[in-house]
């Protein structure tokens, strides 16, 4: 086995570069002669624009240009990309209504932070000073920010053209069988759940460095993103209105994406247009306050759900009705996330004979909502796992027992009985059993008693998650052999945002070609290097990119065999590839005659029309994967203060075959922390009267810290999927999907002696204190 091969827990090759300050993020890019652009943003959540006076700003020191929305329209630019709305069909077959998001606001602003104008100047400081001299006359309008209120007929309306705030109503499943099943159920559990809004807060703020080459009539954009090709296509075709070949996007190191950096934001188009207008490169870097007001946000659902059981505790039907907040505009995939992304995921890992789901998506005067780590699947898992835990209490059954009665059995895999999910593999009972054992679940009662003796109340909660990873797209890869430096260069269409892609691709090529890690150089996003790329998102990169790299590796070997057969004077059929332990070579089968991969590359470069020995690969994956697992969370709460601590957290996952155990565990732990962050304190709050973002900075917006988290007990059972060659199931979002319900279920279990049966995220010490005080006052009365 190659010492750096697939399946081994090797440390990340990129970490040395990153932690020693040798990474290159967007703000590290500086082009000769660059100017700077600052965006003028709306201070109002909803208002008509009566006029924009830019004269003072134009006369300010160092100002090169001031740009407004009408100028961009006159220049022939289009709009901010919105691609998912057309896929959403309402019950009558009609499409969702499409909102149009201008690059810079035209006649109306619809959320605080909406981009209104742009100032280009010699320095960022001068641009900021001049931006304060742009005077906009607004006529304020009524606002709506609350998700549930936005769906009512008497709410303020965000889009007059639509006539209400309901963008679409989407339905899945059959209502009549579901209603009959619930009517005949021996027991029905119902809940109303709030899935709170999140500000993404990637470590690296968004930024852009743009340039325009007048001689070639071609644009260049440096921007941290989740896929250079997708960003290029949407900016070029929908924003700039140019052929995509006229724009090159380069994305080097990216300090966190989480879905948010997928999208074609207006600032990128402003930077590109500005570069052409002033004839110089232009740079824009968001500050943190700007990120709060302009980055897409996540979640924000209000859901009512019912689940019915027969006398034996078997599920007979499930209904889920959700109002989903889109924000002021449909973001790029915003219309897709609350309905099609989690389609049917609410059934979880259970046998569900009848299911119906309705989603109403509404506009509000808030920052647009789009994909955030998990993109609809955490919301779906939260619904079913809250229901299962609540139903177990009402049925007086152990939570693990109710789940076991309804699990899809391992011996029925592959399972294809709709409306349950189409699993090709899985052993849910095994994972839950292992998690119960590792968490010492059976002895929790003793720990609860010990906590009580210390003046604390303890609770334990289970969540069994499943998520569906992305498929149905093409991925590309390119391998180039550099004989001079003894290196194989690797390009892929995926974009690392911190997941460890460089290590994963290095491991795969190391195994495939027998190279040492030092002989492999992974390159980051560049839309000019490959014909396309699926980008990073939906936890698909590991199997999509490995598939493309596998095709490219096989092609490279086949090309090499032709050259080796000529050099070794043997039939091509007798040539084999013998890569092992950093000695990549071709040889004649049954002999010691051989030639190295790098010598083959040198020979290839001498041939006509060959500059470099290379091979490309294209891979398409039609089948989704279904990572799943059991989360068990144990909490202790101080009833006098509401302060709480997660004292144990256990996870047993099935993420298929594991390429790198260290990276897998890091991804799972990071996902859990983000899920717990939402459940424990993260919350984007808007003022209902003004639409101002109340939690618009880290002074008011809580973020999880290392000392808020326990040590995680993580392990896995490798149950391979058959949908890809490696047998892997995506792991990038799995932890986020399972964590919120496990924590909330544990909190409710701790509060049960106080008569508390439900509580919404986020659970803060203040909220707990209020709940406990109210319970004690009720008891006293």
């Amino acid at each position: 086995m190659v010492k750096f091969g697939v399946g081994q827990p090797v440390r990340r090759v990129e970490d040395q570069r990153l932690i020693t300050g040798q990474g290159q993020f967007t703000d590290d890019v500086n082009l000769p002669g660059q100017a700077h652009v600052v965006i003028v943003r709306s201070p109002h959540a909803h208002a008509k624009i009566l006029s924009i006076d830019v004269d003072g700003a134009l006369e300010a020191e160092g100002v090169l240009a001031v740009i407004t929305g009408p100028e961009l329209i006159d220049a022939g630019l289009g709009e901010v990309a919105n691609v998912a709305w057309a896929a959403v069909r309402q019950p009558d077959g009609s499409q969702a209504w499409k909102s149009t998001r201008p690059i810079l606001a035209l006649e109306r602003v619809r959320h605080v932070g909406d981009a209104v104008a742009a100032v280009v100047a010699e320095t960022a400081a001068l641009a900021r000073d001049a931006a304060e001299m742009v005077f906009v006359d607004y006529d304020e309008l009524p606002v709506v920010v609350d998700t549930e209120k936005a769906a009512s007929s008497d709410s303020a309306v965000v889009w007059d053209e639509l006539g209400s705030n309901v963008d679409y109503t989407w339905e899945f499943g059959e209502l009549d069988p579901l209603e009959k099943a619930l009517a005949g159920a021996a027991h029905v559990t119902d809940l109303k759940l709030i899935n709170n809004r999140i500000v993404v807060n990637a470590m690296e703020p968004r930024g852009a460095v743009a340039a325009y080459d007048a001689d070639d009539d071609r644009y260049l954009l440096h921007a941290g993103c989740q896929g250079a090709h997708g960003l290029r296509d949407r900016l070029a075709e929908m924003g700039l209105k140019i052929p995509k070949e006229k724009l090159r996007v380069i994305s080097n190191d990216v300090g966190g994406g989480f879905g948010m950096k997928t999208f074609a934001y207006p600032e990128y188009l402003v930077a590109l247009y500005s570069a052409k207008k002033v004839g110089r490169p232009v740079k824009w870097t968001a500050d943190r306050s700007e990120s709060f007001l302009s980055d897409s946000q996540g979640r924000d659902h209000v859901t009512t759900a019912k689940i019915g059981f027969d006398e034996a505790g078997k599920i007979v039907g499930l209904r889920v009705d959700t109002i989903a907040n889109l924000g002021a505009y449909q973001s790029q995939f915003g219309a897709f996330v609350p309905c099609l992304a989690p389609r049917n995921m609410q059934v979880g890992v259970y046998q569900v004979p009848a299911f119906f789901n309705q989603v109403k998506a509404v506009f509000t005067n808030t920052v647009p909502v789009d994909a955030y780590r998990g993109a609809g699947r955490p919301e779906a898992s939260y619904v079913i796992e809250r229901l299962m835990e609540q139903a177990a209490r009402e049925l007086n059954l152990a939570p693990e027992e109710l789940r076991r009665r309804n699990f899809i059995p391992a011996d029925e895999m592959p399972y294809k009985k709709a409306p349950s999910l189409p699993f090709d593999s899985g052993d849910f009972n095994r994972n839950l059993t292992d998690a119960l054992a590792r968490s010492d679940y059976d002895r929790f009662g003793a720990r609860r008693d010990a906590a009580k003796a210390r003046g604390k109340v303890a609770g334990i909660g289970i969540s069994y998650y499943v998520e569906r990873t992305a498929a149905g797209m093409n991925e590309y890869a390119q391998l180039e052999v550099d004989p001079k430096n003894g290196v194989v260069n690797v390009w892929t269409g995926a974009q690392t945002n911190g997941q460890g892609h460089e290590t994963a691709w290095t491991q795969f090529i190391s195994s495939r070609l027998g190279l040492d890690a030092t002989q492999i150089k992974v390159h980051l996003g560049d839309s000019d290097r490959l014909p396309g790329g699926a980008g990073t998102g939906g936890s698909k990169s590991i199997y999509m990119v490995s598939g493309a790299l596998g095709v490219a590796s096989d092609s490279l070997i086949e090309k090499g065999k032709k050259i080796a057969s000529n050099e070794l004077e043997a039939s091509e059929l007798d040539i084999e590839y013998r890569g092992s332990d950093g000695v990549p070579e071709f040889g004649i089968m049954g002999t010691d005659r051989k030639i190295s991969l790098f010598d083959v590359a040198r020979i290839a470069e001498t041939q006509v029309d060959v500059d470099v020995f290379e091979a490309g690969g294209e891979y398409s994956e039609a089948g989704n994967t279904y990572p799943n697992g059991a989360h068990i969370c144990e909490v202790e709460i101080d009833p006098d203060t509401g302060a709480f601590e997660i004292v144990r957290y256990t996870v047993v996952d099935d993420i298929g075959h594991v390429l790198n155990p260290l990276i897998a565990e890091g991804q799972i732990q990071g996902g859990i922390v983000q899920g717990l962050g939402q459940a424990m304190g993260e919350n984007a709050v808007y003022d209902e009267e003004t639409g101002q973002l109340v939690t618009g900075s880290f002074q008011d917006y809580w973020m999880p810290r290392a000392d808020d988290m326990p040590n995680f007990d993580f392990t896995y059972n490798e149950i391979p999927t058959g949908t890809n060659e490696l047998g892997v199931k995506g792991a990038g979002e799995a932890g986020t999907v399972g964590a919120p319900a496990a924590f909330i279920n544990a909190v409710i279990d701790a509060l049960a002696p106080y008569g508390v049966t439900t509580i919404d995220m986020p659970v803060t010490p203040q909220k707990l204190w209020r709940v406990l005080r109210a319970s004690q006052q009720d008891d006293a009365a």
Side-chain angles (χ1 to χ4, degrees):
M1 178 184 289
V2 176
K3 64 181 179 180
F4 206 86
V6 168
Q8 299 191 46
V10 298
R11 294 189 179 276
R12 299 186 353 155
V13 298
E14 55 267 61
D15 284 354
Q16 181 69 22
R17 174 173 60 82
L18 294 172
I19 65 177
T20 57
Q22 298 176 59
Q24 187 180 56
F25 299 88
T26 304
D27 195 54
D28 294 321
V29 177
N30 293 290
L31 301 180
Q34 72 186 13
H36 296 260
V37 64
V38 166
I39 306 298
V40 178
R41 299 189 181 276
S42 170
H44 304 294
H46 198 194
K48 293 179 182 178
I49 297 176
L50 302 180
S51 64
I52 303 177
D53 182 352
V54 302
D55 291 344
L58 282 170
E59 294 174 0
E61 179 186 355
V63 171
L64 303 173
V66 180
I67 301 162
T68 61
E71 177 181 339
L72 299 180
I73 298 297
D74 292 342
L77 272 67
E79 62 186 77
V80 179
N82 171 14
V83 299
W85 66 276
V88 179
R89 297 287 175 170
Q90 304 194 79
D92 63 2
S94 63
Q95 292 176 320
W97 183 80
K98 178 183 180 292
S99 67
T100 299
R101 185 180 184 182
I103 300 167
L104 294 173
L106 298 171
E107 299 173 350
R108 187 175 291 202
V109 292
R110 290 183 167 86
H111 70 88
V112 174
D114 220 349
V116 177
V119 177
V120 186
E122 295 287 353
T123 69
L126 291 172
R128 282 192 292 270
D129 290 344
E132 295 182 2
M133 302 178 192
V134 175
F135 294 103
V136 185
D137 188 8
Y138 294 100
D139 180 14
E140 289 190 65
L141 297 170
V143 305
V144 58
V145 298
D146 182 84
T147 302
E148 199 167 14
K149 290 179 181 177
S152 66
S153 59
D154 59 351
S155 169
V157 175
V158 179
W159 290 90
D160 292 341
E161 302 93 317
L162 179 59
S164 78
N165 291 318
V166 179
D167 177 39
Y168 64 78
T169 299
W170 177 89
E171 294 178 352
F172 181 85
E174 298 183 45
L175 182 58
D176 288 344
L178 183 278
E179 288 184 331
K180 290 177 182 177
L182 292 181
H187 178 82
V188 175
T189 292
D190 60 86
L191 281 174
K192 181 178 180 180
L193 304 169
I194 294 175
N195 209 292
N196 47 311
R197 180 183 282 237
I198 295 299
V199 177
V200 177
N201 280 321
M203 185 176 292
E204 177 201 19
R206 289 188 299 114
V209 181
Y212 175 72
D213 186 330
D215 293 335
D216 291 339
D217 185 26
R218 195 160 190 255
Y219 295 87
L220 168 67
L221 177 70
H222 291 268
C225 67
Q226 293 181 226
H229 295 88
L231 183 61
R232 175 201 65 184
D233 295 354
R234 292 176 185 112
L235 290 173
E237 295 172 352
M238 302 183 74
L240 295 173
K241 294 290 187 179
I242 59 174
K244 62 185 181 183
E245 295 78 13
K246 291 286 187 179
L247 171 62
R248 181 185 185 185
V249 173
I250 296 175
S251 187
N252 294 312
D253 292 307
V254 181
F258 313 114
M260 179 270 291
K261 286 184 182 167
T262 301
F263 315 124
Y265 288 93
E267 297 88 356
Y268 304 159
L269 291 164
V270 168
L272 289 161
Y273 175 81
S274 300
K276 182 176 182 179
K277 180 180 177 70
V278 303
R280 294 166 56 177
V282 171
K283 184 173 190 174
W284 169 78
T285 302
D287 60 28
R288 186 59 65 179
S289 296
E290 205 169 8
S291 297
F292 270 90
L293 297 176
S294 64
D295 293 352
S296 67
Q297 297 178 356
R299 313 295 191 238
D300 205 342
H301 291 184
V302 177
T303 295
T304 56
K306 295 180 179 181
I307 189 166
F309 297 87
D310 64 17
E311 293 84 352
K314 297 278 288 183
I315 297 170
V316 298
L318 170 65
R319 175 168 184 164
V320 179
D321 294 276
T322 294
I323 303 173
N325 197 332
L326 298 175
Y329 306 95
Q330 291 162 333
S331 183
Q332 188 165 301
F333 299 127
F336 177 89
V337 169
C339 58
L340 292 170
R343 182 182 63 250
N344 213 33
M345 296 299 297
Q346 291 90 347
V347 301
V349 292
Y350 308 109
Q351 300 174 84
V352 179
F355 173 64
F356 180 76
N357 178 207
Q358 183 185 85
V359 177
K360 288 184 182 293
V362 297
F363 291 109
T364 61
N365 296 114
T366 61
V367 173
V369 175
D370 211 314
Y372 171 68
R373 198 169 189 171
R377 286 98 72 197
E379 297 93 314
S381 182
Y382 185 70
V383 171
I384 185 62
E385 289 307 301
R386 284 290 310 276
L387 282 170
M388 291 299 283
E389 200 87 351
Q390 181 65 24
R393 292 189 189 94
E394 294 174 1
L395 291 167
N396 199 27
L397 287 171
E400 68 276 17
E401 175 59 24
L402 184 62
R403 288 176 170 86
R404 282 173 166 150
R405 292 186 188 186
N406 290 282
F407 277 154
I408 297 168
D411 60 10
E412 292 192 29
M413 299 294 176
Y415 192 84
K416 306 293 181 183
K417 298 177 183 177
S420 295
L421 294 170
F423 295 101
D424 77 304
S425 66
D427 191 339
F428 313 134
N429 188 51
R430 175 186 173 189
N431 297 330
L432 178 58
T433 299
D434 290 353
L436 292 169
R438 294 184 69 89
S439 67
D440 199 15
Y441 190 85
D442 289 343
R443 292 196 287 181
F444 169 69
R447 296 195 296 277
R448 188 198 295 270
D449 291 341
K452 184 176 181 180
R454 291 183 277 107
K456 303 291 182 66
V457 292
I460 196 165
I462 298 173
S463 169
Y464 199 105
Y465 83 93
V466 62
E467 84 126 328
R468 176 175 54 221
T469 64
M473 54 198 76
N474 292 350
E475 188 54 276
Y476 298 84
Q478 183 82 10
L479 302 178
E480 293 184 1
V481 182
D482 176 2
K484 180 179 179 181
N485 295 300
V487 168
V488 173
N489 292 297
V490 180
W491 282 269
T492 79
Q495 175 66 46
T496 184
N497 302 157
Q499 298 93 335
H501 285 177
E502 291 175 63
T503 303
W505 313 155
T506 298
Q507 283 186 266
F508 186 84
I509 293 299
S510 178
S511 289
R512 203 73 175 224
L513 297 180
L515 296 166
D516 186 77
T518 59
Q519 297 171 300
I520 301 166
K521 172 62 177 173
V522 176
H523 299 267
L524 303 177
D526 185 342
S527 64
D528 274 8
R529 290 298 317 187
L530 296 168
T536 296
S539 299
K540 67 183 183 297
S541 293
I542 192 67
Y543 52 86
M544 294 293 292
V545 172
S546 63
L549 287 173
V551 173
S553 299
D554 291 345
S555 177
L556 190 76
I557 289 171
E558 290 305 309
K559 285 184 175 183
K561 284 181 177 180
K562 296 180 187 299
I563 296 171
S565 69
N566 184 63
E567 289 300 308
L568 298 174
E569 300 180 331
S571 168
E572 189 177 330
L573 296 175
D574 293 328
I575 300 296
E576 63 182 355
Y577 186 75
R578 300 172 178 171
S580 178
D581 294 328
V583 185
E585 60 190 21
F586 297 88
I588 302 174
M589 288 184 285
T591 76
D592 61 357
R593 296 184 62 200
K594 60 192 177 184
I595 183 173
S596 79
L597 171 66
F598 297 109
D599 285 338
V600 165
R602 288 187 186 92
I603 294 167
E605 291 177 357
T606 66
Q607 297 178 350
V608 178
D609 297 328
V610 176
D611 295 323
V612 62
F613 184 47
E614 63 181 358
E618 179 180 357
Y619 178 79
S620 179
E621 177 59 67
N624 305 102
T625 73
Y626 292 90
N628 62 90
H631 288 223
I632 300 178
C633 179
E634 190 172 328
V635 300
E636 291 184 1
I637 302 170
D638 184 335
D640 294 328
T641 65
F644 63 84
E645 179 184 4
I646 300 175
V647 295
R648 288 187 179 210
Y649 201 103
T650 305
V651 185
V652 177
D653 269 330
D654 163 18
I655 49 177
H657 181 61
V658 176
L659 181 64
N660 183 319
L662 281 179
I663 290 180
E665 182 167 3
Q667 285 292 287
I668 297 299
Q669 289 194 9
I672 293 170
V673 170
Q674 282 192 269
L676 291 176
Q678 178 185 11
M680 294 167 62
E682 290 193 57
N683 197 25
V685 178
Y686 288 85
D687 184 275
E688 292 200 18
E689 296 295 323
T690 65
Q692 296 293 324
L693 179 60
V694 177
T695 53
S697 75
F698 288 140
Q699 283 188 307
D700 302 296
Y701 188 93
W702 183 88
M703 289 286 286
R705 292 163 174 79
D707 61 358
D708 296 314
M709 297 296 148
N711 289 320
F712 299 109
D713 179 3
F714 167 74
T715 189
Y716 53 85
N717 291 315
E718 291 191 88
I719 304 173
T721 179
T723 62
N724 58 75
E725 179 183 342
L726 289 179
V728 299
K729 303 173 184 178
E733 295 161 301
T736 312
V737 180
F743 171 75
I744 296 296
N745 286 339
V747 169
I748 294 172
D749 184 55
L751 298 178
Y754 295 87
V756 176
T757 59
T758 188
I759 193 168
D760 280 314
M761 300 187 290
V763 171
T764 63
Q766 184 183 53
K767 179 182 284 189
L768 286 174
W769 183 85
R770 288 176 174 170
V771 167
L772 289 163
R773 291 287 75 72
S775 173
Q776 291 167 358
Q777 290 168 5
D778 290 344
D779 290 344

